[in-house]
Amino acid sequence: STDLTSTVGYDSIIQHLNDGRKNCKEFEDFLKERAIIEEKYGKELINLSKKKPCGQTELNTLKRSLDVFKQQIDNVGQGHIQLAQTLREEAKKMEDFREKQKLHRKKIELIMEAIHKNRNLQYKKTMEVKQTCCCFLPCSATGAAALLHLPFLSRFWQLFLKLAQTKSALEDSDRSYQQSVTTLEKIREEWQKEHIKACEFFETQECERISYFRNSLWLHANQLSLGCVQNDEKYEEIRKSLEMCSIEKDVDFFVNLRKTGSLAPAPVVYENYYNTQRNVTPARSPAPVPISR
């Protein structure tokens, strides 16, 4: 700004840096919330795999497949819990980065705050001295005109003394004004130098922040992608186990496990207890034997 005491440009930079810090905090909070969700989901999967029955009376190859299935679901749950811990670590890194930038920037801001204050005070002082010099001559002329009503000799000496005092005071005021302007110029040059250094520092910080933020997002995407790949590997173990599941083997296994013998039951033979003189009926009859008393 052309106004020496203005900080509008500086304030705009500080506001942008604060907004960047806020954006980092929002991403940090996002990671923390995602970590809570992942951890809760992982624990629920583990509880499900351990506590919920799932084909517990199955036998042989299908039972092994179900065991692999439940174990891999448990592993997926463990993976989500591990991902939650990883996300918390990334959130902590973002927090450390954000606080580190804040501390470094605070030092520069304190320097700039002090130099702004000093500059503004010197500018105000210089303008006050300048105003004094501008007002001194008209006031002196007014005082000299008032002396014209006195007797001539008395007026002469008093006017002489007044002019001498005025000249001395004017010279002192002018010297003070020059010194103030010189001091202000030194302060202005120092402020401008520090302002440029501050802007360069802030630009470096902003570049670092954008780079760090971008890398964090990239890393987060990779973590989620890796989690999906690892989960797919666990699910692939389930598919491989199911490929080993044999219907014929499971049926044979059940038969061999529960078999009661290799011979069928013998035919039931009729025994005549009513008429011992009658012939015994054949062991197998092509038609049902009528029942009579």
Side-chain angles (χ1 to χ4, degrees):
S1 174
T2 55
D3 181 4
L4 182 59
T5 60
S6 174
T7 58
V8 60
Y10 177 82
D11 294 340
S12 178
I13 294 175
I14 295 299
Q15 181 62 47
H16 178 71
L17 295 176
N18 289 335
D19 289 343
R21 182 170 176 269
K22 178 182 177 183
N23 293 335
C24 289
K25 181 65 166 60
E26 290 176 352
F27 180 64
E28 174 190 327
D29 292 339
F30 181 91
L31 291 179
K32 290 179 180 178
E33 289 294 325
R34 178 65 187 267
I36 292 174
I37 294 172
E38 291 290 342
E39 183 176 48
K40 182 178 179 181
Y41 180 55
K43 289 181 177 179
E44 291 292 335
L45 284 178
I46 293 173
N47 290 334
L48 178 65
S49 66
K50 290 183 177 179
K51 297 180 180 179
K52 189 69 175 177
C54 184
Q56 59 184 349
T57 61
E58 283 293 344
L59 303 170
N60 206 31
T61 61
L62 183 55
K63 175 176 174 56
R64 288 195 291 271
S65 294
L66 287 171
D67 290 341
V68 172
F69 166 73
K70 295 189 71 175
Q71 181 59 51
Q72 294 306 323
I73 292 300
D74 185 278
N75 291 341
V76 170
Q78 296 289 353
H80 281 283
I81 292 177
Q82 181 59 44
L83 177 59
Q85 181 60 31
T86 301
L87 295 179
R88 289 192 179 95
E89 292 172 359
E90 290 303 315
K92 185 63 171 62
K93 291 178 182 179
M94 177 63 78
E95 180 182 5
D96 293 341
F97 172 79
R98 180 170 52 83
E99 291 300 318
K100 181 180 178 181
Q101 277 209 331
K102 176 185 176 183
L103 290 176
H104 289 174
R105 189 165 71 244
K106 190 64 177 178
K107 298 176 182 178
I108 303 298
E109 289 181 19
L110 290 175
I111 293 174
M112 294 303 296
E113 182 180 344
I115 203 168
H116 284 162
K117 183 178 181 180
N118 188 31
R119 179 199 63 185
N120 292 348
L121 287 174
Q122 184 61 35
Y123 181 80
K124 181 180 179 181
K125 178 180 177 182
T126 302
M127 293 301 101
E128 289 174 350
V129 173
K130 178 181 179 181
Q131 187 67 24
T132 301
C133 291
C134 292
C135 296
F136 209 99
L137 285 176
C139 291
S140 299
T142 302
L147 294 175
L148 293 176
H149 300 288
L150 297 176
F152 176 76
L153 185 59
S154 177
R155 290 203 315 268
F156 176 80
W157 286 110
Q158 290 184 27
L159 182 60
F160 179 78
L161 292 174
K162 187 67 176 179
L163 288 175
Q165 293 173 356
T166 300
K167 181 180 179 182
S168 177
L170 185 59
E171 290 175 350
D172 291 341
S173 180
D174 185 64
R175 281 194 299 271
S176 178
Y177 175 48
Q178 290 182 12
Q179 291 174 356
S180 293
V181 171
T182 301
T183 303
L184 177 61
E185 178 58 20
K186 290 181 180 179
I187 292 175
R188 188 197 67 80
E189 291 177 353
E190 181 184 3
W191 158 76
Q192 185 168 303
K193 180 180 178 182
E194 291 298 327
H195 181 80
I196 293 173
K197 288 170 59 178
C199 288
E200 291 173 346
F201 175 82
F202 293 151
E203 182 177 356
T204 300
Q205 270 208 333
E206 179 66 0
C207 292
E208 290 176 353
R209 186 191 69 82
I210 295 174
S211 175
Y212 191 89
F213 204 155
R214 174 183 178 276
N215 292 339
S216 293
L217 286 172
W218 194 294
L219 179 61
H220 181 57
N222 287 344
Q223 290 166 346
L224 297 179
S225 178
L226 177 62
C228 292
V229 171
Q230 291 174 341
N231 287 345
D232 187 65
E233 291 175 354
K234 296 177 179 67
Y235 299 139
E236 179 63 21
E237 291 299 319
I238 298 174
R239 289 189 288 268
K240 289 180 180 178
S241 176
L242 290 173
E243 288 176 353
M244 302 300 295
C245 178
S246 169
I247 299 174
E248 293 80 5
K249 288 182 179 179
D250 285 4
V251 171
D252 290 343
F253 181 85
F254 170 76
V255 169
N256 292 328
L257 181 68
R258 298 285 187 248
K259 68 183 179 180
T260 56
S262 59
L263 298 177
V268 177
V269 178
Y270 169 76
E271 297 182 26
N272 184 4
Y273 297 99
Y274 174 70
N275 185 356
T276 58
Q277 299 302 317
R278 295 176 60 183
N279 294 331
V280 179
T281 58
R284 290 180 177 268
S285 176
V289 178
I291 299 174
S292 60
R293 295 182 67 82

